[in-house]
Amino acid sequence: MTAIQLNNLWSYIQGMSLKKKDREWLASKLLKPVDDAKTEQQKAYVRETLTNALKEVEAAKREGRKLQTLDEFLEELEVEENV
């Protein structure tokens, strides 16, 4: 984040009416150490997933296959969830 963004965030937080419990929760989140290994694993997973999706789209275009629409995908998830 840039200094301006941080200042805006700080101003926003100061404008909130936080109870002591809320301030303590926020402080614990801000002071919580970042797990760099987990972050890198998440980035690698996203990168791999997007790469695979792009390859699938390219293969479908080459082969003239119709890709599943978002609505079709959501319907499929809903059906699987109800089984």
Side-chain angles (χ1 to χ4, degrees):
M1 293 181 90
T2 66
I4 293 172
Q5 290 171 319
L6 288 171
N7 284 332
N8 288 339
L9 177 59
W10 180 243
S11 295
Y12 176 75
I13 291 171
Q14 285 180 315
M16 300 172 74
S17 58
L18 298 174
K19 296 177 182 169
K20 182 180 180 190
K21 180 180 168 188
D22 297 327
R23 288 193 310 269
E24 288 171 353
W25 176 88
L26 180 58
S28 73
K29 294 297 179 186
L30 292 172
L31 296 175
K32 184 177 179 181
V34 176
D35 185 354
D36 290 334
K38 185 175 182 179
T39 302
E40 286 305 315
Q41 288 174 342
Q42 291 170 334
K43 287 179 183 178
Y45 172 77
V46 169
R47 189 173 21 258
E48 180 181 343
T49 303
L50 291 175
T51 300
N52 290 339
L54 183 57
K55 287 179 183 177
E56 178 66 26
V57 168
E58 291 170 350
K61 283 182 181 179
R62 279 194 308 274
E63 298 167 9
R65 285 187 287 129
K66 180 183 173 232
L67 293 172
Q68 187 178 39
T69 67
L70 178 60
D71 289 333
E72 292 167 340
F73 175 73
L74 292 175
E75 282 179 25
E76 185 179 304
L77 283 178
E78 189 174 306
V79 167
E80 288 177 8
E81 193 174 274
N82 293 327
V83 173

